Amino acid sequence: MDTMNRPTPKQLERMVAKFNQDFPVGTKVVLRKGVLSDDREVEEIETTVTAPATIMGFHSAVAWFDGISGCYDINGRVRTA
């Protein structure tokens, strides 16, 4: 990812706070996996938030979801199921 397009730390903090407010643990959501710039490569998966979002590595806002291995970037990828 181009560093010019990365969110600032403040933007990441706001992203995480909004996600955790909108999608508390236990919320059913649709997660968009794949390359968001190419709809042909996007898979939408119905899942459940299993842990609150947090900032990982000072560059990404991530959360954990049922049936998904590891955490997943939440920037523009999650909506209510």
Side-chain angles (χ1 to χ4, degrees):
M1 172 188 258
D2 182 355
T3 57
M4 296 298 289
N5 294 329
R6 283 192 184 156
T8 66
K10 263 303 187 217
Q11 290 170 322
L12 288 170
E13 289 173 12
R14 285 193 295 268
M15 234 186 283
V16 165
K18 180 160 178 40
F19 181 91
N20 290 334
Q21 177 182 332
D22 294 349
F23 306 108
V25 172
T27 302
K28 293 186 184 304
V29 297
V30 175
L31 174 65
R32 298 180 73 207
K33 288 182 66 177
V35 181
L36 295 184
S37 62
D38 184 351
D39 282 339
R40 295 171 296 170
E41 295 187 31
V42 172
E43 177 185 8
E44 291 193 340
I45 299 168
E46 288 192 26
T47 184
T48 304
V49 178
T50 59
T54 189
I55 298 171
M56 179 174 278
F58 303 103
H59 57 75
S60 298
V62 299
W64 286 260
F65 303 91
D66 186 46
I68 305 296
S69 180
C71 60
Y72 215 84
D73 187 333
I74 59 172
N75 190 8
R77 295 180 176 271
V78 182
R79 64 178 168 83
T80 304

